[in-house]
Amino acid sequence: MADVKILVLGSGMVAPPCVEYLLRNTKNHITIAIAIDVSSTTELDSQIACHNLVISLLPYVYHASIIKLAIKKKVNVVTTSYVSDVLRELDVPAKEAGVIVLNEVGVDPGVDHLYAIKKIGEVHAKGGLVKEFYSYCGGLPAPEHADNPLGFKFSWSPRGALLSQVNSAHFLSGGKKIEISNKDLMGVAKPYFVLDGYSFVAYPNRNSLPFQEYYDIPEANTVIRGSLRYEGNPAFVKALIDLGWLDTKPKDWLKTGITWAEVLQKAIGAGDPSESALVSRVEELCRFTSKAESERILGGLRWIGLFSSEPATVRGDNLLDTLCAQLEKELSYQPGERDLVMLQHKFVVEWPHDKKETFTSTLELYGEPEGFSAMAKSVGVTCGIAAQLVLDGHEAFRTPGVLAPYKKEICDPIRELLEKEGIKMVEKLV
């Protein structure tokens, strides 16, 4: 194979393990575009034109414009993001140009697909039916470092993580299509057992309905994909929502010099910024289910500093970004701390003669305090492997179009190489 040039867009925490994997091949030459203006079509166009493959690790909102330029230049693209409706519209142009646009090759989405497709295929091959499918994933601090009221830490801006907890959810349960509104999502979080030693809660996330088709399980009467958090997190996030802290609308009163207590007073309509007035109004708005919950969440708000007379770090003229500025300061990973990626599938299988069995497939991956985080490794290495398979012209990665790993032919080569990197979901009969 001749030398190839790879353009990596995005230099966040996922990029290093992806690049490290690709640089094992001495024929790969990588450009990491740190200073490029992705909103400049001219600059982006010239960069894409002189490379053989583009890996976009940027937020999903930039993918469509990048892929359009890549299609024009007949350059293949790999992303870790979901195939959105906007990307789906580029399928025909990509096919016509002979361009491969491979998506959803991170951890969730990514690793989850690889092992769902594996187990479902094995069940079907043996004459079984997958009647119920559950998949939950969480990128979390290791338990010993989940030492704050959110039970969560951030290695990048908290904005995306918080907003993901106010998506609406659609899923199939007991043969019925269920919809949970974004304002009610945190209220449906329930305790969920994954492995001994952990106290998780789980809630559905985004739209699980298409995965009945993507995973080829028309027989399933339950299909739920969702998120894992430590116990207490959803209730705390729900309180933040009830108090208006996830509001992205500009506030003309949110000016430099205002204190945190004054911000909270205005946000919730308290009579004054004294702690007693704020607490009274918070309890009125949040309607806590117990005294213990009230004490825990009020203590958490106090710990974050939202009752404080200290000047607020105003950002973006809105409450969400201003809150994020505080969370970045208080809830960031410290040197020597490690994270955890926990991902589990549960398959309820019906065999011939009415025999039923339940299987789980679980990834428990810890980050390395002085190395890659678990999230960076599981996303970055998966992406690197998929990109290398595209570059190698592997037979499963030669079909042009907008693709995702929903078929055995694509999943197996990625999964086999991923397991060599120590990233593997372990199967168990419950």
Side-chain angles (χ1 to χ4, degrees), residues 196-213:
D196 288 333
Y198 297 97
S199 294
F200 290 125
V201 292
Y203 56 89
N205 199 5
R206 302 180 185 270
N207 188 2
S208 301
L209 296 174
F211 287 88
Q212 186 179 30
E213 176 186 349

Side-chain angles (χ1 to χ4, degrees), residues 249-256 258 266 314 317-318:
K249 298 185 187 72
K251 309 293 182 188
D252 56 12
W253 49 262
L254 199 53
K255 304 292 185 184
T256 301
I258 192 171
K266 288 186 174 292
V314 176
D317 296 329
N318 67 76

